[in-house]
């Protein structure tokens, strides 16, 4: 049985050999590791002096002699023997032939793989992989080609958006060189503010032409600071008193001069102020293509209400505003208070956010809009609350709010301090009381809110008469620009002057002079008048306070009524938070 199997195996192997061996295929000698093949070569220089005849080493009939002088023959006629390798070419492509035995009977051959990687063919740090008669390279990032000889052009795919330049700064990396207008790794953010459609909603029911003049001046100053045109900002105007009316649409005026000319022609009217209808009207008109509105996702839409906040239909106006806020996010409402006296409570409830209510004596509304109208993530315009505020509290018998009203006015200061939220913002607060002289209750250095509040309640009547203008100038000298008071040079500066407003006529003109001086020094003064209730006397006080304020917007009546206090204070702290944009934002961003 065993023998039969062996026979079978022989037959099969014989057949195998006959098919694949002699007749069709040449069988390469086995591949051996290089060190084994070379073990013979290493010995070839062994010098044997007995030298009958080197030729004995290559003739077959001297085979036995060769075997017995193998060390001698190893060193002889190497060249001739090597020719065997050359003529027989016995090895597979990619292999070296070596003579593993020097004797002529069978110069046994060994084949050794050639290390194609030995010549370091992979360039630029690529890793070489030796294969059978070939090599492959694994390239470092940024390179390609068989030998990693090709530097990949990372800019070829135009990774920088809006046609901004791409430069290959290092291997496997590029940088986008964004023009001023764009930001981001791929210049993907268009940071030029706008385009935007702005619809002014102008309350023309103002009692005096002089107020209309201020509204027009406000809009004029605004328009002068933005580029007007079909690819930039477009301005439309709705006026309203009793009935809203589209004065001009978004495309009627396509240049700044044209808009400015149109604004100068507006007339005021007498009559009720129906802000609710006006808001509904704006909601219908602001997005109409037939008014020139551009309904593209990259174009923002704003309604800017210019009013004194004293609507005839106040409750309805607020309701309509709340309804629009809740139902239409396609446009935002901002409000600016222009008038002889200002209904802060209404004004703060009309815009999309309470902090979209603005004073007319600065450009805060414009800055907030520019930030909003730029792409998300652009950093040209930043929000800030770096503000130093001074509470200046009158403690003279004649004009102090403590007179006849003591606790309410100190509570109002307490709530004002809460509204600043000094622990969560960059706002710093100081307090000064004054009669004939002045006294710093606390300066801008931060301390515990508990200590601060305790200091508020130490204020009491000190002198018979006070000197408010003197106190205002000492706020500037002793607090804002005083030595080591914790004030910050670059901070916005605001004074909250608490008084009962019962100044004499000479005082009024003195205080006004001082407030104008402070305004020129970049310091705003808000007049805070705590009142028990509104009465006939209040009209006079309000008129006198509006007279001394830089703008009537900066007068706040603080009623002894929890909910209206919070509206007045919210309005009063509005401009402690603001947006700063570079002055040349449009010029730089062309
Ligand atoms: C507005 O006031 C300025 C100066 O205060 C004056 O020159 C201008 O004529 C006024 N405009 C109107 C429309 O009253
Ligand atoms: C109107 O725009 C032009 C070009 O943008 C500018 O040169 C000019 O100063 C602007 N005029 C006003 C009044 O802002
Ligand atoms: C806008 O107003 C202009 C001038 O009053 C008018 O000619 C135009 O038809 C109106 N509509 C549009 C879409 O421009
Ligand atoms: C706004 O988007 C439109 C279409 O998506 C585009 O053609 C236009 O250039 C964009 N405008 C700006 C200023 O990015
Ligand atoms: C104000 O105080 C100064 C000294 O501090 C004093 O000379 C002056 O008489 C006082 N004036 C009044 C009106 O109290
Ligand atoms: C307030 O003080 C200033 C500066 O000392 C002085 O000129 C002015 O007359 C004073 N006013 C009153 C009402 O005392
Ligand atoms: C306000 O000013 C008027 C003059 O314009 C004056 O008659 C009145 O007494 C002042 N009111 C108060 C409360 O000081
Ligand atoms: C407080 O003010 C609100 C809003 O002005 C008003 O609705 C409310 O009746 C007032 N409450 C009191 C007690 O005066
Ligand atoms: C806004 O903030 C960014 C990043 O902090 C800064 O580079 C930029 O100068 C700031 N812009 C202004 C107007 O402060």
């Amino acid at each position: 049985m065993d023998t039969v199997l062996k026979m079978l195996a022989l037959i099969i192997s014989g057949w195998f050999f006959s098919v694949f061996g002699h007749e069709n295929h040449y069988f390469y000698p086995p591949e051996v590791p290089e060190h084994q093949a070379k073990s013979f070569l290493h010995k070839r220089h062994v010098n044997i002096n007995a030298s009958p005849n080197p030729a004995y080493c290559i003739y077959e009939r001297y085979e036995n002699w060769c075997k017995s002088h193998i060390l001698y023959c190893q060193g002889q006629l190497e060249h001739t023997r090597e020719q065997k390798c050359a003529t027989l070419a016995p090895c597979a492509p990619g292999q070296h032939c070596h003579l593993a035995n020097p004797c002529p009977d069978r110069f046994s051959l060994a084949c050794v793989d050639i290390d194609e990687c030995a010549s370091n063919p992979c360039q630029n740090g690529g890793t070489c992989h030796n294969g059978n008669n070939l090599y492959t390279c694994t390239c470092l990032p940024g390179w390609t080609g068989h030998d990693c000889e090709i530097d990949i052009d990372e800019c070829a795919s135009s990774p920088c958006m809006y046609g901004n330049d791409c430069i290959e700064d290092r291997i496997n990396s590029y940088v986008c060189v964004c023009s001023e207008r764009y930001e981001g790794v791929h210049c993907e953010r268009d940071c030029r503010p706008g385009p935007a459609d702005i619809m002014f909603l102008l309350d023309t029911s103002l009692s005096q032409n002089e107020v209309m003049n201020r509204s027009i001046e406000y809009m004029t100053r605004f328009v002068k600071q933005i580029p007007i045109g079909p690819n930039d900002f477009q301005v439309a105007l709705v006026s309203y008193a009793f009935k809203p009316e589209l004065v001009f649409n978004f495309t009627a005026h396509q240049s700044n001069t044209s808009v400015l000319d149109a604004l100068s022609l507006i007339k005021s009217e007498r009559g009720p102020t129906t802000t609710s209808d006006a808001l509904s009207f704006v909601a219908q008109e602001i997005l109409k293509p037939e008014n020139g509105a551009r309904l593209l996702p990259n174009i923002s839409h704003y309604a800017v209400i210019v009013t004194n906040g004293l609507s005839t239909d106040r409750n309805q106006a607020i309701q309509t505003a709340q309804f629009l806020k809740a139902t239409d996010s396609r446009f935002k409402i901002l409000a600016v208070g222009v008038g002889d006296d200002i209904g802060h409570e209404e004004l703060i409830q009309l815009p999309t956010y309470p902090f979209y209510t603005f004073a007319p004596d600065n450009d805060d509304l414009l800055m907030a809009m520019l930030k909003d109208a730029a792409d998300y993530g652009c950093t040209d315009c930043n929000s800030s609350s770096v503000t130093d505020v001074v509470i200046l509290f009158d403690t003279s018998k004649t004009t102090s709010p403590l007179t006849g009203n003591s606790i309410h006015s100190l509570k109002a200061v307490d709530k004002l301090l809460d509204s600043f939220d000094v622990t969560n913002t960059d706002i710093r607060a100081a307090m000064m009381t004054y009669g004939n002289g002045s006294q710093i209750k606390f300066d801008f250095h931060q301390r515990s809110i508990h200590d601060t509040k305790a200091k508020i309640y130490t204020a009491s009547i000190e002198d018979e008469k006070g000197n408010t203008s003197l106190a205002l100038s000492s706020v500037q000298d002793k607090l804002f620009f005083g030595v080591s008071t914790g004030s910050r040079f670059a901070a916005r500066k605001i004074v909250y002057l608490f008084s009962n407003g019962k100044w004499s006529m000479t005082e009024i003109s003195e205080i006004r002079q001082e407030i104008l001086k402070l305004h020129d020094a970049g310091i705003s003064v808000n007049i805070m008048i705590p009142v028990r209730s509104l009465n006939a006397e209040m009209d006079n006080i309000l008129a006198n306070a509006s007279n001394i304020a830089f703008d009537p917007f900066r007068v706040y009546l603080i009623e002894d009524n929890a909910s209206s206090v919070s509206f007045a204070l919210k309005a009063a702290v509005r401009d402690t938070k603001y947006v700063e944009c570079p002055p040349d934002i449009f010029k730089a961003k062309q």
Side-chain angles (χ1 to χ4, degrees), residues 31 92-95 112-114 116 129-136:
E31 185 179 317
Q95 294 180 336
V112 174
D113 182 48
I114 298 170
E116 284 86 4
H129 307 278
N130 179 29
N132 229 334
N133 193 30
L134 54 80
Y135 63 89
T136 52

Side-chain angles (χ1 to χ4, degrees), residues 61-80:
R61 56 194 145 105
Y62 294 108
E63 175 70 17
N64 284 341
W65 187 90
C66 174
K67 273 184 187 150
S68 58
H69 296 82
I70 197 153
L71 285 179
Y72 170 77
C73 286
Q74 273 176 181
Q76 306 301 323
L77 300 171
E78 188 176 333
H79 194 69
T80 315

Side-chain angles (χ1 to χ4, degrees), residues 456-477:
I456 293 173
Y457 290 96
T458 63
S460 61
I461 302 289
E462 282 160 14
D463 293 319
E464 189 63 27
K465 283 188 76 52
N467 187 333
T468 304
S469 62
L470 186 62
L472 282 165
S473 82
S474 45
V475 162
Q476 183 175 8
D477 301 340

